Amino acid sequence: MFTRLLTTALLLLALTSNSAQAAADRGLKLDKATDPARRVALVIGNSAYQHAGALRNPEHDARAVASKLRALGFDVVDGLDLDRRHMERAIRDFARKLRGAGVGLFYYAGHGLQVQGRNYLVPVDAALQDVEDLPFEAIPMRLIMTQLEREQRTNLVFLDACRNNPLARNLARSMGLSRDAAGSGGLAREQAGLGTLIAYATQPGNVAADGESRNSPFTQALLRHIDEPGLEVRQLMTAVRRDVAQTTHNRQIPWDHSSLMSDFWFVPKTREKSGPELAAALLPACDLMLSRNALTMPPTAKDQPPQNAYDCYQQALTLDFANTEARKGIAHIEQRIAEQCDTALRRNQPDRARIHLDKLRQINPESAAADELEARLNDLIALMERDKQERQDAIDRKIAQAQKEQERLRQEQERLRAEQEESSRRAREAELARQKLRDEQLRQDEQRYQELKQKMASIPEPTRAPPSAPAAPSPSAPEPEDPEKGRPLQEAELRAVLSGNTMSGDNIMKGKQLSIFFAQGGAVYGAPTKRGMSAISMGFGSKKIGDTGKWWVAGNVFCTKFERWHGGRKACRLMYEKDGEYHTYTTARSARGAGVLIEKFRQEKGDSRGLAR
């Protein structure tokens, strides 16, 4: 553990030997002025390909390399699962930071391919259906090399991009080329400018393994040796090559091409420093983490460089317990976490406030701010519990009211259902009563009809008159005027009312409406209209619609004899006039008066249309 801390401190001390640079770092800002010691890196890892199989390791590889480079003093621009647009943006940001830097490093893990000797890096959204898609969907490696070689510096390129690529195979088929011509077998050798080293995960044109562990074999070996003190970069690649060959049983051999003009060490071999010197060398990295708000996260793994400001300052205090700058840094962390806890409390976020408070207690168990914040947190929790209970009580009341209203509606529905059933029962009883009444009326009408038939049969038929004028019957005694029936018509009035006219009216037996034309020659034409003949009226004649016969006047009655109506028998009636209507009665006499009311007629002049001829 101490050896690892010592190594990290020596590294940081070597990187911050320039006093102006150290002062800038202590102020939590990186100096971008021209400085041969300044290191800038671009790290990209693409795993989640949309049009090719997803890769397991590039995301983990890029994260680990970026973390290691930051610990080694690099200003890192990194990106994971980048599409074409975001890859170009990352390259632009990298190019800006490269200005004046002494060391430029590019690391890429993901799919890459070569087409006709040119290398391309593949964003996660590339489809590459045709060779014309390359300039629009892929990133040419030459673009990145151009950015690195704009100034004279030490440039390091690490390409873990030689995986078996289905996009390259599809592109080869679309071009009608062989596997090697289209580049589905790895990357081509990239021309390195002066002062540049390019390292490949395997030989040009070969395919590298993605690996069975969290990192690929190439990146795993690189991470294992990159921070060894005094290991020059070409010696580093020799160690990496040896480890990868052993891991893959010589199926994969890393390869590099160098035109470096000077030696380069990620961690120079220096004399051992004292604890205070090592702590002072560690402080710039701690201040950088503090400036990026990496206060307690991500956590630092065992035997690894510090990943957050708190662990970094704690390691500095381990090296130099009296280091005031480290204690000030921890005080800054405590203040920021207290501010974060206060913000969470003001936003009514007790869970987030509890997380910050626990961090604050971990940093300083005796913190007075923590006591005040915990009291506020307890008050907030109590207030929220009270509000929650009040809301629950309000909900319970609404539920009770809704249940009460539901019960009232149920009772109302039961009442309405009972009323409906009672109403239906009364309606059925009323219908039965009406049916009984109709049956009784029909029975009475049938009885009256039978009596009427008997009375009409008892009237003697008059002596047949010549066809032009029926024989006049003997006059009978005039019928007295009846206030209820009206004035009885006598022989002359009967002839005047009937002769040459149509009498239209209703039969009171409810069976039909009648239109009868009394011709001047004694002929009669009759037709039931609208409703036709009822079951009772059927007894008066044929089922045919119209009928013909003769008519005559005998004293104060008029008689008719149809061929089919009334069974072909004569029918004689009295006629009364009342309020412009004419009522006909049978000539039968009874104790109730002069006959039985049969029809109510209205006089219509002339012939009536629709009568049977």
Side-chain angles (χ1 to χ4, degrees), residues 5-6 8-19 21-23 25-26 273-288 312-313 315-326:
L5 294 176
L6 181 61
T8 304
L10 289 172
L11 166 67
L12 295 175
L13 182 60
L15 295 177
T16 57
S17 59
N18 186 295
S19 58
Q21 178 67 29
D25 288 345
R26 187 63 53 81
K273 301 292 182 179
S274 64
E277 289 178 322
L278 296 175
L282 192 59
L283 288 176
C286 302
D287 293 341
L288 182 60
C312 188
Y313 287 126
Q315 290 189 14
L317 289 176
T318 301
L319 295 169
D320 181 12
F321 184 75
N323 192 298
T324 57
E325 294 298 328

Side-chain angles (χ1 to χ4, degrees), residues 1-128:
M1 176 68 179
F2 182 78
T3 302
R4 177 69 65 177
L5 294 176
L6 181 61
T7 301
T8 304
L10 289 172
L11 166 67
L12 295 175
L13 182 60
L15 295 177
T16 57
S17 59
N18 186 295
S19 58
Q21 178 67 29
D25 288 345
R26 187 63 53 81
L28 307 183
K29 293 179 63 178
L30 293 177
D31 186 7
K32 294 185 180 179
T34 301
D35 186 353
R38 188 160 63 86
R39 302 175 171 190
V40 179
L42 172 61
V43 178
I44 296 176
N46 286 340
S47 291
Y49 282 91
Q50 301 170 14
H51 304 285
L55 298 175
R56 181 173 59 255
N57 290 335
E59 177 183 353
H60 306 309
D61 294 340
R63 288 184 187 274
V65 170
S67 176
K68 181 72 73 172
L69 291 176
R70 288 192 177 97
L72 294 175
F74 280 82
D75 184 3
V76 180
V77 177
D78 58 346
L80 301 175
D81 294 331
L82 302 182
D83 57 17
R84 169 68 184 259
R85 181 169 62 88
H86 288 90
M87 282 189 71
E88 290 178 342
R89 180 181 298 175
I91 295 170
R92 284 198 300 269
D93 295 342
F94 175 57
R96 293 190 185 99
K97 291 192 175 187
L98 271 178
R99 296 169 188 166
V103 179
L105 185 147
F106 174 64
Y107 172 88
Y108 176 78
H111 275 315
L113 55 87
Q114 58 163 304
V115 175
Q116 298 176 350
R118 296 181 181 179
N119 293 325
Y120 294 88
L121 306 181
V122 183
V124 295
D125 61 341
L128 298 180

Side-chain angles (χ1 to χ4, degrees), residues 392-535:
Q392 186 61 44
D393 292 342
I395 292 173
D396 292 342
R397 287 194 297 272
K398 289 182 179 179
I399 291 175
Q401 292 175 358
Q403 291 175 345
K404 184 177 180 181
E405 179 64 17
Q406 187 177 7
E407 178 62 21
R408 187 190 67 79
L409 292 175
R410 188 190 64 79
Q411 294 177 358
E412 182 67 16
Q413 289 177 351
E414 289 293 335
R415 185 184 64 80
L416 292 175
R417 188 181 298 110
E419 290 182 355
Q420 185 177 7
E421 291 176 354
E422 179 65 18
S423 177
S424 299
R425 185 186 63 80
R426 292 178 180 177
R428 288 193 298 271
E429 292 178 352
E431 180 61 27
L432 289 174
R434 287 194 295 271
Q435 185 62 39
K436 290 180 179 180
L437 181 60
R438 286 195 295 270
D439 293 343
E440 180 62 22
Q441 276 186 320
L442 289 174
R443 189 189 63 79
Q444 293 178 0
D445 289 344
E446 179 66 20
Q447 183 178 358
R448 292 172 59 189
Y449 165 67
Q450 295 297 334
E451 294 177 354
L452 179 60
K453 284 178 65 176
Q454 292 175 3
K455 291 177 181 179
M456 291 175 64
S458 64
I459 299 175
E461 184 174 354
T463 303
R464 181 175 300 273
S468 59
S474 59
S476 60
E479 185 75 17
E481 183 172 352
D482 188 332
E484 183 177 344
K485 299 178 181 178
R487 182 177 62 82
L489 300 182
Q490 300 304 315
E491 181 177 358
E493 290 179 304
L494 284 171
R495 294 183 185 279
V497 168
L498 298 177
S499 181
N501 294 320
T502 298
M503 302 300 289
S504 298
D506 300 324
N507 187 296
I508 67 164
M509 301 300 286
K510 303 180 181 178
K512 59 184 177 180
Q513 291 184 350
L514 300 173
S515 282
I516 302 175
F517 174 60
F518 295 87
Q520 292 183 355
V524 65
Y525 307 93
T529 61
K530 295 184 180 177
R531 290 175 295 173
M533 305 176 75
S534 70

Side-chain angles (χ1 to χ4, degrees), residues 229-273:
L231 192 64
E232 203 272 334
V233 66
R234 281 160 287 201
Q235 295 174 334
L236 168 66
M237 286 306 302
T238 300
V240 169
R241 187 178 300 112
R242 182 178 60 249
D243 287 2
V244 173
Q246 182 179 359
T247 301
T248 63
H249 303 287
N250 294 327
R251 289 192 299 270
Q252 177 179 337
I253 307 297
W255 181 87
D256 63 86
H257 170 63
S258 173
S259 62
L260 292 176
M261 301 298 293
S262 61
D263 294 338
F264 175 80
W265 297 268
F266 282 96
V267 181
K269 186 175 183 179
T270 59
R271 66 177 179 86
E272 294 187 1
K273 301 292 182 179

